[in-house]
């Protein structure tokens, strides 16, 4: 019979919490970076683009190690957060959210950038000639037009966060009830030989992934139909 223990339910809820914060942390920067890559030409753009997409091609453990150096109590960011605000990131769910956000960021940027590329620049120019400020043009013309791409980016980032393992285990550890997400819980169950419990979590993880992919597919179809009207 399919049942989840309280610890497994806690891992599921923590995974959803981390994924939600991953999206919240990534989205403002994702829109900004996508806009820069789509609308601006500058020296070193190719290098900047490569750095943004670097988490897709290097081992997640490397990303986790770099974040550990940056956000550790002796690191430049972690030391500042600890001294100024008393905030600790390493080996907390906050670290898991940051690791997931970094790993998911390239996928979000790619989806939003494609939406920026598809916007009819003539509509923006027409609004500008009528006296609209750049900020008003962005929030009243551009942002509504790229909304489908933003939704796709959010879904992709959320799904990537649910499956994140390598960077998370380095930054946040694998502490039941504190930092143990579904992938980490599956790893622990397999290590302990609890195959039936691991299978339950695999079923839950697969179901979440399928639901996310269905929503992603539906958004793409809906967006293509709108563009054809």
């Amino acid at each position: 019979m399919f049942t989840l223990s309280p610890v497994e339910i806690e891992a599921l809820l923590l995974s959803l919490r981390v994924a939600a914060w991953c999206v919240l942390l990534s989205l403002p920067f994702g829109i900004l970076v996508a806009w820069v890559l789509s609308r601006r030409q500058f020296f070193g753009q190719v290098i900047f683009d490569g750095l943004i997409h670097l988490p897709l091609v290097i081992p997640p453990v490397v990303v986790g190690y770099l974040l550990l150096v940056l956000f550790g109590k002796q690191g430049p960011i972690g030391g500042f957060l600890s001294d100024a605000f008393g905030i600790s990131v390493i080996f907390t769910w906050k670290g898991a959210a940051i690791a997931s956000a970094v790993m998911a960021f390239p996928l979000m940027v790619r989806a939003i950038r494609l939406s920026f590329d598809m916007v009819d620049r003539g509509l923006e120019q027409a609004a500008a000639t009528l006296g609209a400020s750049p900020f008003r043009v962005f929030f009243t013309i551009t942002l509504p037009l790229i909304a489908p791409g933003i939704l796709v980016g959010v879904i992709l980032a959320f799904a990537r966060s649910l499956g994140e393992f390598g960077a998370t285990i380095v930054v946040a550890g694998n502490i039941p009830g504190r930092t143990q997400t579904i992938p980490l819980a599956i790893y622990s169950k397999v290590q302990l030989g609890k195959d039936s419990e691991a299978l339950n979590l695999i079923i839950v993880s697969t179901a979440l992934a399928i639901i996310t992919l269905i929503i992603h597919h539906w958004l793409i179809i809906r967006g293509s139909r709108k563009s054809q009207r």
Side-chain angles (χ1 to χ4, degrees), residues 73-103:
K73 287 190 176 181
Q74 305 300 322
I77 300 177
F80 171 76
L81 292 176
S82 179
D83 296 338
F85 306 103
I87 297 175
S88 179
V89 172
I90 302 303
F91 301 123
T92 67
W93 71 267
K94 303 180 191 71
I98 291 173
S100 295
V102 172
M103 295 302 300

Side-chain angles (χ1 to χ4, degrees), residues 1-9 189 196-204:
M1 183 178 178
F2 178 81
T3 57
L4 294 177
S5 68
V7 174
E8 292 165 348
I9 293 175
K189 300 296 184 185
S196 60
E197 296 179 10
L199 181 60
N200 289 339
L201 290 172
I202 290 172
I203 292 173
V204 171

Side-chain angles (χ1 to χ4, degrees), residues 179-192:
T179 64
Q180 190 177 74
T181 57
I182 290 181
L184 300 179
I186 293 173
Y187 173 77
S188 296
K189 300 296 184 185
V190 172
Q191 290 291 99
L192 296 173

Side-chain angles (χ1 to χ4, degrees), residues 7 10-11 14 174-180:
V7 174
E10 199 166 13
L14 181 60
N174 187 10
I175 308 171
R178 289 183 55 189
T179 64
Q180 190 177 74

Side-chain angles (χ1 to χ4, degrees), residues 136-149:
R136 187 174 181 183
V137 171
F138 179 80
F139 285 105
T140 61
I141 303 295
T142 310
L143 195 59
L145 290 175
I146 67 169

